[in-house]
Amino acid sequence: MNRTSRIVAGVVGFALVAIMWPQRREKVASQGRQCLGGRLGVEGRQMAYEQGLEVDAKRDCILEPILDQKAAAAPVPSRPAEPAASGQTLAEARRGFVTAVRAADGTYPLPSPPPNLFVPIPLTNNRGAALPAFVTPDPRDGRRHPAIVWITGGNSSALGDFWTADAESDDESVSAFRKAGVVVMFPSLRGGHVGTGGREYFLGETDDVLAAAEQLARLPYVDSDRIYLGGHSTGGTLALLVAETSERFRGVFAFGPVARVDRYPTPMVPAELAGLPEPERRLRSPIYWLHGITTPTYVIEGRASPNIGDAKELCAASPRVTCLLMEGADHFDVLSRVTRVVAARMSIGQDVERGLRTDDFPAGTGRQ
């Protein structure tokens, strides 16, 4: 999946979430309609039209949906987070579990990043599938460097153009890390490319992330005690699930996760997911397993994001996560604003896994 498709998939997803969860929208139709996300471009406009979304041709953006006033006024019943009996952890609940989801093998073509930025690294998951992955090359300075496994947004299983740095308002390449000398690994996950098996949608993919970390730790230029995990949007949700499953990482940075994966609309998750038994859907939803987190973990989101309600819900549910809810930031520009500071501190050996606060980061653009 190329980069534009990932961005539009995220924007489309959050537009539909806004329709499904109208109590989170602060503006009503009579006050005017705003853009959701940035400029689309030709390919983005095509995808938006195919999804049946309304596009503002002059501003080249997806328009905020018009909410049904009765639906907007109706409260949505809250569903409390109820962990499994006797405090069962996600790892314990998943042990021996076989999913009912049967997805097709991935077909996205494999990208070819510039070799001076990223080189391929062999990766095999727990079911024997070879997963394409890329890592920043050895700087040959004789040092062991901190490293981060990064999970992309949109279709997190497939890799597109993950190396091209864009404007700070929407830079999903997290280039601040490699520019600061942090080793960065972008793994694909099951179901992303040919020969990797079917996707499990936030379930077996956690095993793929852990396999990526173990392979990363074997590199001679990586400090195996300073391996972090980060992800954005769907990748942030997956990063949070990994934190609930394993203690492998020194710290976890989950940007823009959701509390429950059944809030994602199709095609971001298959329609069959909504019809699965509740116990299986819980295995994919971070809100139920926060009590199992032992690794320092951050939930990060811009307060101008349509997804801010999920971030607040996760933050309120457990003291085991540290929340950075950034004023003047949205779902996309929060990435560059936070990663620049984290990367700089990580590169000089500061313990970024603990003690970060919102006022550690530069002021935003003034979005409210």
Side-chain angles (χ1 to χ4, degrees):
M1 175 178 280
N2 62 36
R3 185 174 178 280
T4 302
S5 299
R6 292 202 313 272
I7 295 171
V8 175
V11 173
V12 169
F14 286 118
L16 293 174
V17 169
I19 298 172
M20 296 166 62
W21 299 92
Q23 81 282 9
R24 296 186 187 170
R25 307 299 295 170
E26 296 180 353
K27 296 181 68 177
V28 296
S30 61
Q31 294 175 302
R33 299 168 69 191
Q34 60 187 2
C35 285
L36 292 173
R39 296 179 67 85
L40 293 171
V42 175
E43 183 178 1
R45 285 197 300 276
Q46 177 183 342
M47 291 190 65
Y49 288 133
E50 289 175 356
Q51 292 288 334
L53 298 172
E54 188 174 355
V55 172
D56 184 320
K58 184 175 182 180
R59 290 184 288 173
D60 192 28
C61 67
I62 294 173
L63 281 174
E64 179 183 41
I66 297 176
L67 302 179
D68 178 81
Q69 295 303 304
K70 293 182 179 179
V76 176
S78 61
R79 294 182 295 170
E82 299 174 1
S86 69
Q88 187 181 37
T89 67
L90 179 55
E92 292 167 344
R94 286 190 49 201
R95 193 168 294 131
F97 180 82
V98 178
T99 179
V101 172
R102 295 290 180 266
D105 192 12
T107 59
Y108 290 106
L110 193 64
S112 298
N116 63 311
L117 298 182
F118 288 94
V119 295
I121 180 173
L123 176 62
T124 303
N125 67 5
N126 62 344
R127 62 183 184 185
L131 302 176
F134 295 89
V135 67
T136 48
D138 187 347
R140 302 190 183 282
D141 56 6
R143 297 173 51 216
R144 290 184 177 270
H145 297 259
I148 187 166
V149 177
W150 189 265
I151 311 301
T152 61
N155 178 358
S156 298
S157 291
L159 294 175
D161 180 352
F162 57 84
W163 60 88
T164 300
D166 208 332
E168 289 188 356
S169 61
D170 185 17
D171 184 9
E172 296 187 80
S173 72
V174 292
S175 58
F177 287 109
R178 61 179 172 81
K179 291 176 180 178
V182 177
V183 177
V184 184
M185 182 185 194
F186 282 90
S188 66
L189 309 175
R190 61 189 65 192
H193 298 283
V194 175
T196 58
R199 293 179 67 182
E200 294 185 12
Y201 297 94
F202 305 97
L203 193 66
E205 289 83 355
T206 60
D207 297 319
D208 300 343
V209 174
L210 292 172
E214 293 309 314
Q215 185 65 18
L216 183 60
R218 297 188 187 104
L219 295 178
Y221 55 97
V222 167
D223 183 346
S224 60
D225 292 328
R226 298 186 64 208
I227 295 180
Y228 297 85
L229 173 64
H232 176 237
S233 199
T234 52
T237 301
L238 185 55
L240 196 53
L241 288 164
V242 172
E244 295 169 337
T245 306
S246 171
E247 301 176 351
R248 176 62 186 87
F249 296 93
R250 181 140 176 175
V252 176
F253 301 90
F255 286 79
V258 299
R260 300 173 175 84
V261 296
D262 54 7
R263 289 179 178 173
Y264 284 124
T266 54
M268 297 184 74
V269 297
E272 66 178 305
L273 201 63
L276 293 175
E278 176 66 13
E280 177 160 357
R281 280 184 285 143
R282 285 183 176 225
L283 293 178
R284 295 172 165 86
S285 297
I287 192 69
Y288 298 108
W289 312 101
L290 294 167
H291 61 280
I293 292 179
T294 57
T295 298
T297 299
Y298 290 89
V299 169
I300 307 164
E301 184 59 290
R303 288 189 178 272
S305 167
N307 206 32
I308 188 63
D310 278 83
K312 289 180 178 179
E313 184 177 353
L314 290 163
C315 294
S318 174
R320 293 179 181 265
V321 296
T322 300
C323 292
L324 300 175
L325 306 181
M326 311 298 291
E327 298 287 353
D330 61 26
H331 185 66
F332 294 98
D333 61 16
V334 71
L335 272 171
S336 59
R337 181 170 162 189
V338 173
T339 56
R340 286 200 310 269
V341 175
V342 171
R345 297 187 181 188
M346 195 182 291
S347 69
I348 63 173
Q350 289 192 12
D351 291 332
V352 296
E353 63 272 17
R354 298 187 187 276
L356 292 177
R357 302 175 303 176
T358 54
D359 56 7
D360 289 328
F361 302 95
T365 59
R367 293 184 183 89
Q368 299 298 327

